[in-house]
Amino acid sequence: MNKVVSNAEEAIRDIQDGMTLMLGGFGLCGIPENCIAALVKKGTKDLTCISNNAGVDDFGIGLMLQQKQVKKMISSYVGENAEFERQLLSGELEVELIPQGTLAERCRAGGAGIPAFYTPAGFGTEVAEGKEIRYFNGKPYLLEHWLKADFAIVKAWKGDATGNLIYKGTARNFNPMMATAGKITIAEVEELYPAGALDPNEIHTPGIFVQRIFQGNNYEKRIEQRTFLSE
Amino acid sequence: MLDKFGIAKRIAREVKDGYYVNLGIGIPTLVANYIPSHLSVMLQSENGLLGMGPFPFEKDIDPDLINAGKQTVTMIPGASLFSSADSFGMIRGEHVDLTILGAMEVSDKGDIANWKIPGKMVKGMGGAMDLVASAQNIIVAMQHCNKAGESKLLPECTLPLTGVKCVKKVVTELAVLDITEEGFVLLERAPGVTVEEIRERTAGRLVIKGDVPEMVL
């Protein structure tokens, strides 16, 4: 079983206009930089992108927004991006905002075959509008549905030829759930190994969820808030 | 009257030994600086980190280790890393002992609004709705009034809600207040602030029982 492809261009070769993508990452941490660059180069458009954030003006999903490749964003927080704001206010871009925990769980549910679930987040707010409310032990919950994608694109630290993945630090974030919820899941990794090289005890995402894997290059790992102590 | 550091310092007194605490962005982040070092406390960052430490030295910055405010951070001994789904499982499952967050408005019923101002750019709720819907112990750190001098402690929130009947305690530059069935119950005054000043700046129901002590910081 060998899922290795040569690069991002090959991995995204059949992503078509109008498809729904999941893209892992929190802010710019743990985003699939190589695949985003390849999508920008390819110019695929009318995409629905499910991602916790929308990048910044000149990095991450912000690069796809600049090229007007995104029709709709499904996110929890989109505040770092002026071009995003312009497109939203001008009506070029559609946005669905979802509580962060609900977004994570909807992706998890999509991958785990759970069509819907109840969560307390958003009860009594505009997020609850039009949704079924049910009480359990006297507390109100909303019915939320799974999310799935044509392609899930994730970033991991280490991976092997069978698609097993290990994440690093807080670059894990949405990547593990999104990896389970794509019809086709593409993983880009910093270090790619042959099968057997990674300790099975340490795998975060089992390879069954991953269809294509490649070793990315030139990771910039841009930092949004570079905070540090002076020595 | 307190400055934002004073508010953070007062809230830090609510943190108990052994607590797992989620700190929101803004004043809540400052609370970490005032938690006494003899307490064993784990800070949860909802992007997938338990046991968040201080900022790193510049040479130790790791772009793969950030907090929910996207700031570079460190981990303390005993820290752990996990997915966003596990993180919100901790939050929804009521495993987090204390949640501290900011607000634009709070009502005397414990409703909170902190994510959206209609007509202005909407940035999103992030994890705030999940946090307020599930946490048993929520403290709001906020200014008592807005820039126009209007009270942010209201009978009803005017802005779109983040959650209903969830806030238990509010700490402002003027006062510490509990929220009960009766409304805002004034517990403590900030140094040099009178009950009358607090009454004037609180639009929601305010309950004053006996002498209200000055805060101990």
Side-chain angles (χ1 to χ4, degrees):
Chain A
M1 197 171 286
N2 184 359
K3 299 174 181 178
V4 176
V5 296
S6 55
N7 54 31
E9 285 72 24
E10 188 187 342
I12 66 147
R13 62 188 182 269
D14 45 0
I15 295 183
Q16 309 290 330
D17 291 354
M19 281 187 164
T20 295
L21 310 182
M22 283 182 182
L23 295 126
F26 182 97
L28 301 179
C29 183
I31 59 172
E33 292 183 21
N34 281 237
C35 283
I36 290 171
L39 282 164
V40 169
K41 195 170 145 200
K42 192 179 175 203
T44 318
K45 57 184 194 297
D46 294 324
L47 296 169
T48 295
C49 292
I50 303 169
S51 179
N52 188 54
N53 311 92
V56 296
D57 275 320
D58 59 348
F59 203 59
I61 294 174
L63 297 169
M64 293 164 66
L65 288 163
Q66 271 185 12
Q67 303 298 319
K68 303 202 170 94
Q69 294 175 265
V70 184
K71 181 183 67 179
K72 181 177 181 181
M73 278 303 308
I74 299 177
S75 302
S76 88
Y77 189 84
V78 291
E80 325 290 350
N81 197 314
E83 175 61 15
F84 183 96
E85 184 171 348
R86 192 197 65 71
Q87 289 186 23
L88 180 61
L89 296 174
S90 70
E92 293 165 60
L93 179 67
E94 203 184 323
V95 176
E96 185 179 342
L97 292 168
I98 297 177
Q100 194 172 124
T102 300
L103 179 61
E105 194 64 15
R106 287 178 68 184
C107 295
R108 201 190 71 82
I114 308 282
F117 59 92
Y118 290 96
T119 178
F123 174 76
T125 77
E126 58 189 61
V127 166
E129 284 169 16
K131 288 178 185 156
E132 181 191 323
I133 308 287
R134 189 165 159 189
Y135 285 76
F136 296 89
N137 296 325
K139 184 173 167 174
Y141 294 82
L142 316 183
L143 187 69
E144 294 280 5
H145 291 82
W146 62 9
L147 282 171
K148 296 184 184 210
D150 296 306
F151 283 82
I153 306 176
V154 303
K155 155 80 197 322
W157 178 30
K158 297 176 182 178
D160 72 19
T162 64
N164 292 314
L165 303 176
I166 297 174
Y167 308 95
K168 177 167 169 271
T170 54
R172 193 180 318 185
N173 56 65
F174 282 80
N175 284 300
M177 295 79 72
M178 289 183 171
T180 69
K183 279 180 205 155
I184 294 176
T185 292
I186 299 168
E188 57 173 86
V189 299
E190 290 174 56
E191 299 173 19
L192 182 60
Y193 295 91
L198 299 177
D199 182 349
N201 286 300
E202 293 179 359
I203 302 298
H204 295 135
T205 292
I208 191 170
F209 296 116
V210 176
Q211 281 69 46
R212 299 174 192 170
I213 188 166
F214 68 95
Q215 182 164 313
N217 52 41
N218 300 321
Y219 282 104
E220 180 179 336
K221 297 195 182 182
R222 194 182 294 186
I223 293 170
E224 279 184 75
Q225 307 284 337
R226 192 179 177 84
T227 47
F228 56 89
L229 302 172
S230 40
E231 309 234 8
Chain B
M1 194 184 299
L2 302 176
D3 59 11
K4 63 181 181 177
F5 301 102
I7 294 173
K9 205 169 171 182
R10 174 60 191 82
I11 291 174
R13 288 184 44 220
E14 304 290 324
V15 177
K16 307 274 191 295
D17 193 40
Y19 265 19
Y20 292 96
V21 182
N22 181 288
L23 300 177
I25 295 163
I27 297 174
T29 305
L30 300 173
V31 173
N33 301 331
Y34 300 102
I35 298 172
S37 56
H38 67 275
L39 299 186
S40 174
V41 171
M42 284 272 188
L43 300 179
Q44 200 245 21
S45 190
E46 65 265 25
N47 56 316
L49 167 59
L50 200 55
M52 177 173 61
F55 295 149
F57 293 118
E58 192 170 13
K59 65 176 169 47
D60 299 325
I61 286 176
D62 178 356
D64 291 327
L65 197 62
I66 63 168
N67 65 16
K70 287 128 187 170
Q71 298 171 311
T72 44
V73 294
T74 57
M75 296 186 280
I76 65 169
S80 57
L81 296 156
F82 36 85
S83 72
S84 302
D86 283 344
S87 183
F88 282 92
M90 292 173 197
I91 290 164
R92 259 189 256 99
E94 300 176 12
H95 304 284
V96 175
D97 298 294
L98 176 62
T99 294
I100 302 168
L101 73 173
M104 299 172 188
E105 294 177 345
V106 170
S107 84
D108 61 22
K109 293 146 201 85
D111 299 346
I112 177 172
N114 71 353
W115 76 282
K116 183 177 186 181
I117 302 175
K120 292 202 179 171
M121 172 57 189
V122 179
K123 297 185 173 205
M125 66 292 281
M129 285 190 181
D130 310 88
L131 281 159
V132 302
S134 296
Q136 291 303 295
N137 194 4
I138 300 176
I139 301 178
V140 164
M142 67 190 293
Q143 299 295 323
H144 216 94
C145 297
N146 62 21
K147 284 182 183 139
E150 297 157 339
S151 181
K152 292 161 71 174
L153 279 63
L154 302 168
E156 301 285 348
C157 292
T158 63
L159 295 169
L161 294 176
T162 309
V164 294
K165 294 183 183 168
C166 52
V167 179
K168 302 291 193 295
K169 192 182 281 282
V170 180
V171 179
T172 75
E173 77 279 20
L174 303 179
V176 179
L177 310 104
D178 265 353
I179 299 178
T180 71
E181 293 292 316
E182 301 171 281
F184 295 110
V185 178
L186 182 58
L187 298 181
E188 298 173 21
R189 298 171 289 115
V193 175
T194 65
V195 169
E196 208 39 52
E197 285 172 287
I198 296 164
R199 195 195 301 275
E200 274 171 29
R201 288 174 194 172
T202 306
R205 290 174 297 156
L206 182 66
V207 180
I208 296 159
K209 293 176 178 165
D211 284 341
V212 179
E214 201 169 274
M215 278 176 212
V216 179
L217 290 170

